[in-house]
Amino acid sequence: MRYATAVGHLRRLAEALAEDARLAEALAEDARLARELGGQTPVVLAAYAFGDLLEGPQRLERSDVALVVDRTADELPWGAEPPAVRGLFERHRLDRVPLRWCCVPRDRPVANHRITGPVRVWSLAGPDEEALDALAARRAEHLRERAPDPDEQARRLAAEAAASLAELDRLVHGHRGDPRAIAEELFDLAAPVWDLPRHRRLGEAVGRRSGADVLAVIDEDPLGEVAQLAGEGLLVALAGPHPEAAELAQRCARTLRERDWEGDTELAEDLEAALGAGPVPARRAVPVDAGEVGAHLDGGGPGEPAWRLELATGELWPVLDDWEASTGEDLPGDWEDPDAWLALDPHGSRYAYRDMVSFAATVADRRLADRLGHALEGSEVFRRFRDVLADRPDEEGRWRVFSAERVRGRGRAWLALEGYRPA
């Protein structure tokens, strides 16, 4: 990427932040608008450029940005990604450009042992044109912020190290020094709550429409990784003799609204209606799987057939010019009858690519994150992305859960736009 392009991405980010800041003001003054947007108000207070960009190279792989968010250090662990910030990048399609971002709590200095000499490019007062112009001219050295007082920084690092050592001490004494038991607990702490086998068990329970099995798989664990699939299962459970489903459904609806991915608001509304906590959405029920619809929407391309959804059965049919010759059967009906069929309008692979970019931003292993970033540049990005994850079965499983959730949400959101919902 050319240096000028990287600075251009910073300007786009500054403009997006300014737009969201104006939205925050509107939300504060308009309670109705706030309710419509699910309360997802922006939380970014300032943005700083740092890293290779400040060295002024002719070309670089990506731009690094630190976002100061309206959270304290106790509320925002290092590496956390508030849903509202992820949503900002997705809304403005900044997740498709090589911008790597991290969040800094409002009560900590931006400059630290990881972020050296950052330059502020945006604040609530608006884009910092002086800084952006200086970066474009490669003359921003005088604007770089210095690291905090070394003594203060040392005290903060010491406190964090002491907390880590205390946790290790608990593990060692709790297991009487047994290395196997310690390793197993550390693995449990690091492993994702929803691995691929458990995700499959939940999908099978939803497919069988067994509320009891759904509840047995969900248990009391966080639902943020599988809120779409879990929400469908909880709709099944709410329709049966399972009073314990109500509390889980309320929690799932809150999770969906906080996460705010495509399709999340629609499913939250369905759950709230089933709980009697909200109006019944004016969407016609169709016996179709949202994940299947999303997968067909993500497909499509030159030479591939279009698809039609049969509203009575929920079955998806390919539209072939030579249907009788290709299938040996009569046409299933009049494709153009709007009361019986719904035409799918595939959007191709662009959303699947955005999913890969968003997932790469969640990878904590920096070496793996960098490898995924390289794989997403150039040609054959889908194959190269899969090849990188093939070396890491744990992250590959997490990716498949992540991708399935995004696809399912897109299917639900598209159906809602057409006036339907999966049943």
Side-chain angles (χ1 to χ4, degrees):
M1 174 175 63
R2 292 185 303 113
Y3 181 85
T5 302
V7 176
H9 290 156
L10 288 180
R11 290 187 181 277
R12 278 186 58 189
L13 173 62
E15 292 168 0
L17 291 168
E19 182 177 328
D20 272 36
R22 290 191 292 271
L23 175 62
E25 294 181 4
L27 289 173
E29 298 174 359
D30 192 333
R32 179 189 60 80
L33 180 59
R35 288 194 300 272
E36 290 179 358
L37 294 177
Q40 292 297 310
T41 57
V43 296
V44 180
L45 305 177
Y48 290 77
F50 70 98
D52 292 343
L53 176 68
L54 302 187
E55 306 304 323
Q58 290 295 331
R59 301 189 66 84
L60 65 163
E61 295 178 1
R62 62 179 61 82
S63 304
D64 289 300
V65 181
L67 304 174
V68 180
V69 296
D70 192 14
R71 300 287 186 273
T72 65
D74 292 337
E75 298 169 323
L76 185 79
W78 179 264
E81 297 181 355
V85 179
R86 280 203 309 272
L88 179 147
F89 274 75
E90 292 171 359
R91 281 196 306 278
H92 297 281
R93 299 191 175 183
L94 289 165
D95 54 347
R96 303 179 64 180
V97 302
L99 268 174
R100 184 169 61 183
W101 55 276
C102 63
C103 290
V104 179
R106 66 172 185 262
D107 57 347
R108 290 285 173 85
V110 178
N112 55 37
H113 63 292
R114 295 281 299 275
I115 302 173
T116 57
V119 173
R120 193 182 69 184
V121 296
W122 181 85
S123 69
L124 290 177
D128 194 323
E129 295 296 344
E130 179 188 0
L132 290 167
D133 291 343
L135 286 169
R138 294 183 172 87
R139 295 175 180 172
E141 186 64 30
H142 65 290
L143 296 173
R144 300 182 69 163
E145 295 198 2
R146 299 191 181 281
D149 176 74
D151 291 338
E152 171 59 27
Q153 188 166 332
R155 283 193 294 270
R156 187 165 67 246
L157 290 174
E160 292 173 357
S164 299
L165 288 171
E167 180 64 13
L168 286 173
D169 184 66
R170 182 194 65 78
L171 288 172
V172 171
H173 287 86
H175 296 294
R176 298 183 180 178
D178 181 354
R180 181 182 295 275
I182 294 170
E184 288 177 351
E185 184 166 345
L186 284 172
F187 177 80
D188 290 340
L189 289 171
V193 171
W194 289 92
D195 58 12
L196 194 56
R198 188 180 182 191
H199 184 262
R200 286 172 175 161
R201 291 198 301 274
L202 178 57
E204 291 166 358
V206 173
R208 292 193 302 271
R209 299 190 63 75
S210 170
D213 289 347
V214 167
L215 294 174
V217 177
I218 289 177
D219 199 19
E220 293 295 329
D221 286 323
L223 301 177
E225 298 172 69
V226 294
Q228 276 285 327
L229 186 58
E232 289 187 11
L234 288 168
L235 284 172
V236 173
L238 287 170
H242 306 290
E244 68 273 27
E247 183 177 350
L248 288 171
Q250 291 170 357
R251 179 156 61 87
C252 187
R254 289 196 301 269
T255 298
L256 287 161
R257 290 199 177 276
E258 290 170 2
R259 190 179 68 171
D260 199 28
W261 288 358
E262 286 185 275
D264 283 358
T265 297
E266 290 79 5
L267 182 52
E269 291 172 350
D270 290 340
L271 285 167
E272 289 160 357
L275 288 164
V280 177
R283 295 191 281 266
R284 175 182 167 186
V286 177
V288 67
D289 181 76
E292 187 178 4
V293 172
H296 281 81
L297 289 170
D298 283 358
E304 296 186 20
W307 291 81
R308 293 291 189 276
L309 170 61
E310 188 175 6
L311 296 174
T313 66
E315 190 170 355
L316 288 159
W317 298 80
V319 180
L320 305 174
D321 293 335
D322 53 350
W323 176 272
E324 290 84 354
S326 299
T327 65
E329 302 175 358
D330 294 334
L331 279 170
D334 180 7
W335 297 129
E336 306 306 323
D337 181 357
D339 295 326
W341 299 89
L342 181 62
L344 271 73
D345 182 20
H347 43 231
S349 61
R350 65 181 183 274
Y351 286 95
Y353 176 81
R354 287 171 55 185
D355 290 348
M356 294 190 296
V357 173
S358 297
F359 176 80
T362 71
V363 174
D365 184 331
R366 281 300 177 188
R367 292 183 63 184
L368 179 60
D370 288 342
R371 291 179 62 199
L372 290 172
H374 287 303
L376 291 171
E377 298 172 358
S379 59
E380 299 185 350
V381 294
F382 291 92
R383 178 188 62 78
R384 293 167 60 198
F385 187 86
R386 289 194 300 269
D387 288 348
V388 171
L389 287 178
D391 297 335
R392 290 287 301 272
D394 55 335
E395 290 291 344
E396 181 185 28
R398 196 169 69 85
W399 155 246
R400 292 172 68 177
V401 172
F402 180 93
S403 175
E405 188 78 356
R406 300 286 282 230
V407 169
R408 185 174 296 277
R410 279 197 290 275
R412 185 180 304 278
W414 182 83
L415 285 167
L417 284 173
E418 298 293 334
Y420 300 93
R421 63 179 176 85

